[in-house]
Amino acid sequence: MNDVIPNEPNGAWTPARSAQRYQIQGWGAPYFSVNAAGHVEVRPNPDDERTLDLFELTEDLKARGHQLPLLVRFTDIVGHRIKRINEAFRKAIEEYEYAGAYRGVFPVKVNQQRHLVEEIVAAGQPWQFGLEAGSKPELLIALAAMSEVGGLIICNGYKDQTYIETALLAQRFDKRVIVVLERLEELDHVFRASEKTGLEPVLGVRAKLTARGVGRWKDSAGDRAKFGLSTSQIVEVVDRLAERGMLHCLELLHFHIGSQISSIIPIKNAIQEASHIYVDLAKMGCKMGFLDVGGGLAIDYDGSKTDFHASKNYALLEYASDIVAHVQEACARGGIQPPTLVSESGRAIAAQHSVLVFDVVGSNDVRFGDPPEPAPQAHRLLHELHETWRGIVPKNVQESFHDASQAKEEAQSLFKYGYLTLRERAQAEGLYWSCLEKLSRTMKRLRHLPEELQQVEALLGSIYYCNFSVFQSAPDVWAIDQLFPVMPIHRLDEEPTVSATLADLTCDSDGMIDHFIDLEDERRTLDVHPIRPEESYYLGMFLNGAYQEILGDLHNLFGDTNAVHVALTDDGYRIRHIIQGDSISDVLRYVEYEPAQMVESVRRQAERAVANGTLTNPQMRMLLQHYEAALRSYTYLTEE
Ligand SMILES: *Cc1c(COP(=O)(O)O)cnc(C)c1O
């Protein structure tokens, strides 16, 4: 949908204009779009014509008793992402006549939810897609999840003796488990584990590259990086393996220069550097066979296709081609066999598949509208403000803004010294807001906005109170100011006339979303629709399937949200899994409370109150019923 926006501001609004306003084509294609009904439409498998209406799905799920906020996972999207990545590498390999293969792995840390990991393993089977573990618990997940399939298991992260022994024993399974050395000390553990188990290890080394990523994760590489071995340490590993006649145990070179690498240039630099390390390791007599390029493949969260931190300036095929071409060239020059290429894309596989749908529970949105003429005997200031309001035209917006602001300040100081009543001050402030509203409408007709007037929009911006917790569902918004696309999932055939920031349910002033995607830079407000009484208003936060769930915390004890896995069927959709969010009892137990004892404590107080005659029996029953029902209920706001 890319029709031209009509110039006249009163031109009829269309779903296509909403699509443009929210840039859904840029960040959402091919999975998300706007349909003719003005709802967000999901195409979980773009190779297929079938679509789902996200608004209707939400209403349907609500009718079945699934409360908002609701995390909707489309696991077909994950399957499609795995397919796209594998096809991109297959294409690049064909194009360059590369004599090696590609074997991807999914880094479990990105989203460890069992149902998702299981679906990733199943969807990846045609390509022998494997898993990457970054810790002992994740290794346990990988070993259990891949019981029926082939594919690599890459063991990264810091390792102790039992981690390494477990991995070594599992190397005898019918799959390849590779232990990647992150620190030099791990080699001693490996030697000990090998002696103890009587098994030869299959090893990799993680190189600390000079080439760095960009943006927030740039410190994942470089000399001061937390992970990986420097070149001298790598040479030491080779020497120590050689001493023991174990050079054939080293099969893989790994690097990871950080996540969300928004520019292709650092990726090229890293792969060039790593290719040469790989070639030299092979020349030094190591067995080799695998080059693992780590993660970092970015997601275009703002749809701008730039190297802005929330975007990326390269396509998937370009990424695969650059890797294949550089490795090809280095191996040809070194005269060695090209390796099997491994990548560990997490974000690029998991981000798109889940959407958080939440409802708006209220706003501070008060419209003052056109003010009545003050009574003749009213305070001079009120007459002046009304005069300012009446006189606003495009030519004098700046001057009118000054006049209105000054009058408001004067009202405040007159009040302070007792020259204005509370009612008069309230009238003056109402008139001031009427002026700002009229200024905002008038400014829309101007081509160039004086800088000073840009604050009018910010001052007028509404706050929409939303039924979710940033800390639980989008922690990176709070922690690293990450941008996620947020938009209404319905009413997209109406113009969104309100500019709002979004506040969550927590009592924390950081529990806000006040940065939004924009083609140019970032925006401070989101365009939304006026809330209608008695009608739900739903927003969706998109592309939050990577990292958010596991980083989420229990701020104010808002727990895990409900989650559903939705799959398309011939006649609609099917819920594959329902994962109940936390109840209040669940979150209380996390912090060591025992709900039964809490009920007891409240009951004792209620009985004392009944005995003292301050509470009646029916009142006591009602209180205890509420208390017990709340313990069983969802932590978020629920409808009656
Ligand atoms: C986090 C991580 C990844 C995943 O990175 P993405 O940018 O999400 O693809 C891959 N490999 C390692 C070693 C990691 O630590």
Side-chain angles (χ1 to χ4, degrees):
M1 292 198 185
N2 44 11
D3 65 350
V4 178
I5 296 182
N7 282 329
E8 70 276 27
N10 298 327
W13 194 262
T14 59
R17 288 183 69 176
S18 287
Q20 205 152 29
R21 175 68 57 93
Y22 297 107
Q23 286 141 243
I24 193 169
Q25 168 77 20
W27 56 259
Y31 308 111
F32 302 103
S33 58
V34 175
N35 67 16
H39 302 160
V40 168
E41 184 170 86
V42 190
R43 177 167 303 205
N45 178 0
D47 300 334
D48 184 317
E49 285 303 300
R50 286 174 303 177
T51 57
L52 264 171
D53 183 312
L54 186 58
F55 171 69
E56 284 174 11
L57 176 71
T58 302
E59 293 266 273
D60 207 26
L61 290 169
K62 253 178 78 175
R64 294 179 187 206
H66 302 293
Q67 292 164 329
L68 302 186
L70 186 59
L71 187 72
V72 189
R73 297 205 190 107
F74 298 100
T75 36
D76 291 324
I77 292 185
V78 177
H80 187 256
R81 298 299 303 160
I82 293 173
K83 182 173 163 198
R84 285 276 311 274
I85 288 180
N86 278 280
E87 283 182 347
F89 274 96
R90 184 179 52 77
K91 251 195 197 149
I93 283 172
E94 272 170 22
E95 192 185 319
Y96 288 91
E97 297 178 7
Y98 183 80
Y102 168 75
R103 289 270 176 280
V105 293
F106 175 72
V108 173
K109 75 154 189 260
V110 174
N111 196 324
Q112 298 99 336
Q113 302 292 328
R114 174 170 65 89
H115 298 97
L116 181 71
V117 171
E118 286 172 358
E119 300 205 38
I120 286 173
V121 169
Q125 206 164 359
W127 296 277
Q128 295 198 42
F129 211 68
L131 295 174
E132 183 259 8
S135 64
K136 208 186 316 182
E138 289 180 0
L139 173 64
L140 304 188
I141 291 177
L143 289 175
M146 289 190 50
S147 96
E148 301 304 320
V149 298
L152 294 168
I153 296 180
I154 305 280
C155 307
N156 290 325
Y158 291 155
K159 304 167 199 72
D160 59 14
Q161 192 74 25
T162 55
Y163 181 134
I164 291 172
E165 285 171 18
T166 309
L168 238 59
L169 292 162
Q171 287 178 342
R172 304 298 124 169
F173 289 1
D174 53 356
K175 53 195 65 48
R176 298 195 75 109
V177 182
I178 303 182
V179 175
V180 179
L181 303 172
E182 300 254 10
R183 292 179 306 140
L184 204 51
E185 294 74 25
E186 288 172 4
L187 188 60
D188 298 317
H189 289 310
V190 167
F191 289 147
R192 240 175 290 140
S194 175
E195 274 156 29
K196 194 165 153 193
T197 57
L199 296 169
E200 274 204 328
V202 183
L203 297 177
V205 275
R206 174 165 179 174
K208 208 181 254 190
L209 299 184
T210 319
R212 285 171 154 221
V214 284
R216 309 197 196 288
W217 288 275
K218 65 175 182 298
D219 293 334
S220 306
D223 294 336
R224 299 288 306 149
K226 174 171 156 190
F227 296 105
L229 306 184
S230 64
T231 48
S232 62
Q233 289 174 322
I234 292 176
V235 171
E236 188 177 336
V237 167
V238 173
D239 291 344
R240 292 180 61 190
L241 287 173
E243 274 167 29
R244 296 179 178 237
M246 285 172 72
L247 281 180
H248 59 281
C249 295
L250 186 61
E251 298 194 27
L252 178 142
L253 174 68
H254 172 244
F255 70 87
H256 173 70
I257 58 166
S259 201
Q260 184 66 13
I261 311 286
S262 50
S263 159
I264 192 75
I265 293 165
I267 295 174
K268 287 188 193 191
N269 290 339
I271 190 72
Q272 246 172 334
E273 185 180 348
S275 300
H276 287 111
I277 300 177
Y278 181 89
V279 167
D280 280 356
L281 285 173
K283 285 187 175 167
M284 288 159 96
C286 303
K287 178 172 176 193
M288 302 317 286
F290 297 94
L291 175 54
D292 180 347
V293 302
L297 181 56
I299 285 284
D300 195 356
Y301 291 100
D302 70 7
S304 67
K305 299 188 169 44
T306 60
D307 65 0
F308 187 60
H309 63 80
S311 185
K312 69 174 166 76
N313 70 357
Y314 55 93
L316 178 55
L317 185 58
E318 195 179 344
Y319 172 79
S321 298
D322 276 334
I323 290 169
V324 170
H326 280 108
V327 178
Q328 166 96 315
E329 195 194 315
C331 290
R333 245 195 294 150
I336 66 150
Q337 185 67 19
T340 295
L341 296 168
V342 181
S343 77
E344 303 175 342
S345 285
R347 188 183 295 278
I349 284 174
Q352 283 115 327
H353 91 282
S354 69
V355 184
L356 182 78
V357 178
F358 54 95
D359 45 338
V360 176
V361 294
S363 82
N364 71 340
D365 203 17
V366 191
R367 293 292 131 183
F368 289 86
D370 294 353
E373 175 107 31
Q377 74 282 13
H379 196 282
R380 157 191 66 83
L381 199 63
L382 298 180
H383 285 286
E384 282 171 21
L385 264 164
H386 193 267
E387 197 55 37
T388 303
W389 172 80
R390 214 166 27 161
I392 294 173
V393 287
K395 255 180 146 147
N396 69 0
V397 282
Q398 203 154 0
E399 189 188 323
S400 307
F401 179 57
H402 280 168
D403 291 350
S405 307
Q406 225 159 35
K408 179 174 146 242
E409 271 165 37
E410 195 185 340
Q412 283 163 352
S413 66
L414 286 176
F415 176 76
K416 193 163 82 180
Y417 295 112
Y419 297 114
L420 215 58
T421 65
L422 182 64
R423 185 177 297 281
E424 284 168 332
R425 179 178 158 185
Q427 283 167 342
E429 287 179 358
L431 277 159
Y432 166 78
W433 289 111
S434 293
C435 288
L436 256 54
E437 284 170 17
K438 189 170 177 189
L439 278 167
S440 161
R441 284 197 303 276
T442 311
M443 276 157 26
K444 288 207 166 73
R445 286 149 61 191
L446 296 181
R447 224 174 275 279
H448 295 292
L449 209 54
E451 191 147 332
E452 188 183 22
L453 289 183
Q454 288 173 9
Q455 53 173 311
V456 170
E457 287 306 323
L459 286 170
L460 276 179
S462 307
I463 300 173
Y464 271 34
Y465 300 99
C466 301
N467 189 18
F468 80 116
S469 159
V470 164
F471 304 91
Q472 178 61 251
S473 293
D476 279 342
V477 167
W478 162 69
I480 56 171
D481 290 327
Q482 182 168 338
L483 297 170
F484 290 99
V486 179
M487 68 179 283
I489 64 167
H490 59 134
R491 294 178 61 185
L492 298 167
D493 51 354
E494 285 170 48
E495 180 170 6
T497 50
V498 180
S499 304
T501 52
L502 308 181
D504 76 359
L505 294 179
T506 67
C507 308
D508 193 315
S509 54
D510 280 342
M512 286 284 282
I513 306 185
D514 55 8
H515 290 268
F516 299 91
I517 61 162
D518 184 58
L519 266 190
E520 304 290 319
D521 188 10
E522 297 181 9
R523 297 189 50 185
R524 302 304 300 263
T525 56
L526 180 71
D527 293 339
V528 288
H529 303 90
I531 303 171
R532 295 192 190 120
E534 308 297 317
E535 198 184 290
S536 298
Y537 187 56
Y538 303 130
L539 297 174
M541 181 189 290
F542 293 81
L543 313 189
N544 63 347
Y547 299 107
Q548 303 316 296
E549 282 176 69
I550 206 62
L551 291 175
D553 67 36
L554 291 173
H555 199 358
N556 274 136
L557 298 184
F558 290 109
D560 278 346
T561 64
N562 293 325
V564 291
H565 286 221
V566 173
L568 283 173
T569 58
D570 288 334
D571 49 2
Y573 74 94
R574 187 162 66 87
I575 297 184
R576 294 247 289 244
H577 305 288
I578 297 167
I579 300 117
Q580 281 299 329
D582 290 321
S583 68
I584 292 183
S585 294
D586 292 336
V587 297
L588 290 173
R589 286 201 180 93
Y590 286 141
V591 282
E592 308 294 331
Y593 288 90
E594 184 37 63
Q597 285 170 4
M598 297 167 74
V599 172
E600 231 0 81
S601 162
V602 171
R603 183 193 306 280
R604 270 199 306 275
Q605 295 175 70
E607 272 166 6
R608 277 206 303 272
V610 170
N612 293 339
T614 52
L615 200 68
T616 65
N617 274 325
Q619 285 169 337
M620 162 164 159
R621 200 173 334 123
M622 186 174 171
L623 172 66
L624 288 170
Q625 272 167 3
H626 280 347
Y627 196 90
E628 289 175 315
L631 283 169
R632 287 188 300 272
S633 73
Y634 203 21
T635 57
Y636 295 90
L637 301 188
T638 53
E639 287 167 18
E640 302 291 283

